[in-house]
Amino acid sequence: MRREIIGAFTAVFIIGAPLAYAQHATSGPGGTSDNERLSQTEFKMLTDVRVGVIKAALQLTPEQEKLWPAVEEAIRARAEARYRRLASVEERMEQWREVDPVQLYRQRADVLAERAAGLKRLAEAWQPLYQSLTPDQKMRLRFVTMHAIEGLRAATENHRMEMYDEDDIDFSQ
């Protein structure tokens, strides 16, 4: 029973964070929805919640706690990079008619390389802690990770659908 409660609690917060962002994101090129993009403070608060939920779900031992700061730092660094990346995308969307395709490809390659490096740093930070986890902790981490991925995927798809809603794009300009 305790496991199910932790799982439900974890799913709500992990999935809720990206969905909350999706509701605040811009709705299309050059336009915004009724809600503004999350502020950096709000984004950090969501990151705090996500970090807290992961840590609570793992129920770390005192020895494992010593390995946690590197993981938390890597999670926060990726979240900060994501915030900067989303802000940059928003700025570029305001100028979407002036896009140089070659420059766009180069920028996209740079962004993907940065994301890959951040993900690699996250994996390296997790490695020592993951090796120390019990089978039960590993199962909870898999659960949290899979729900976070599904939540991000749903939020991303929702955002893309909103961005490219044909009713919002004026093709006559």
Side-chain angles (χ1 to χ4, degrees):
M1 179 69 173
R2 183 172 153 205
R3 209 178 278 175
E4 289 83 14
I5 291 171
I6 290 173
F9 179 75
T10 301
V12 166
F13 283 105
I14 296 296
I15 292 170
L19 293 177
Y21 179 79
Q23 289 176 351
H24 284 76
T26 57
S27 62
T32 58
S33 64
D34 293 335
N35 298 319
E36 294 288 323
R37 177 174 52 90
L38 289 178
S39 71
Q40 191 164 20
T41 301
E42 293 167 325
F43 201 84
K44 284 182 180 184
M45 287 172 43
L46 285 175
T47 301
D48 291 344
V49 169
R50 293 170 73 189
V51 166
V53 168
I54 293 167
K55 191 173 180 184
L58 289 176
Q59 300 173 348
L60 300 173
T61 67
E63 280 302 309
Q64 292 169 333
E65 282 280 347
K66 295 174 185 173
L67 302 171
W68 177 253
V71 173
E72 183 173 342
E73 183 180 322
I75 291 170
R76 291 184 185 284
R78 275 188 40 97
E80 180 63 28
R82 177 176 165 77
Y83 183 83
R84 286 192 318 269
R85 190 171 57 249
L86 291 170
S88 174
V89 166
E90 193 171 285
E91 289 172 18
R92 286 194 308 265
M93 290 301 288
E94 292 173 2
Q95 303 163 357
W96 72 287
R97 286 187 178 86
E98 303 168 17
V99 172
D100 172 356
V102 174
Q103 185 63 25
L104 181 67
Y105 295 144
R106 287 187 177 136
Q107 288 173 340
R108 185 71 181 138
D110 291 343
V111 166
L112 291 174
E114 179 185 330
R115 288 178 71 183
L119 192 56
K120 189 172 249 182
R121 284 189 297 273
L122 182 63
E124 290 168 1
W126 267 108
Q127 186 66 38
L129 178 57
Y130 186 77
Q131 289 175 331
S132 75
L133 297 179
T134 66
D136 191 46
Q137 288 172 311
K138 287 179 179 180
M139 184 271 310
R140 289 194 303 264
L141 181 58
R142 280 191 295 274
F143 179 81
V144 169
T145 301
M146 293 314 296
H147 282 288
I149 289 170
E150 287 303 315
L152 284 170
R153 189 174 292 141
T156 301
E157 184 60 29
N158 183 36
H159 180 63
R160 284 184 183 147
M161 288 174 59
E162 287 178 5
M163 277 183 61
Y164 298 108
D165 185 354
E166 292 176 11
D167 295 336
D168 292 339
I169 299 174
D170 182 2
F171 291 103
S172 64
Q173 295 182 355

